[in-house]
Amino acid sequence: MKELIKVIAKALVDHPDEVVVIEKEDGRSIIYELHVAQSDMGKVIGKQGRIAKAIRAVVKSASSKETKRVDVEIM
């Protein structure tokens, strides 16, 4: 899942070497923190958050067989 988020984010940004994904497990959920360069933040979020919503939708679909809830936070 971590690699999926990295591949998607690196395709969107101007500085792909600064993309970092951190996985945190919290009881019943797994949280993936996506860190990008400050100048690339708008490209990952998109207009009205559409790209961020699409990334979250793809990750939730890919993790449908997981027993834990999966969420993506953009930092």
Side-chain angles (χ1 to χ4, degrees):
M1 200 63 56
K2 200 171 176 180
E3 289 300 316
L4 174 65
I5 297 169
K6 270 188 186 179
V7 168
I8 293 170
K10 284 183 178 185
L12 294 170
V13 299
D14 289 335
H15 306 285
D17 52 323
E18 294 186 34
V19 173
V20 178
V21 179
I22 299 171
E23 180 179 343
K24 292 185 177 181
E25 198 161 333
D26 179 31
R28 291 180 270 163
S29 64
I30 300 172
I31 300 170
Y32 292 99
E33 291 181 353
L34 174 60
H35 297 269
V36 296
Q38 189 67 31
S39 60
D40 291 329
M41 192 64 77
K43 293 179 181 179
V44 173
I45 295 172
K47 291 183 180 178
Q48 298 179 351
R50 288 185 181 148
I51 295 175
K53 287 178 188 176
I55 293 171
R56 290 183 179 117
V58 168
V59 170
K60 285 187 185 211
S61 294
S63 67
S64 64
K65 294 187 179 182
E66 291 280 332
T67 58
K68 296 184 177 188
R69 191 175 139 252
V70 176
D71 195 21
V72 177
E73 292 183 0
I74 301 169
M75 303 297 198

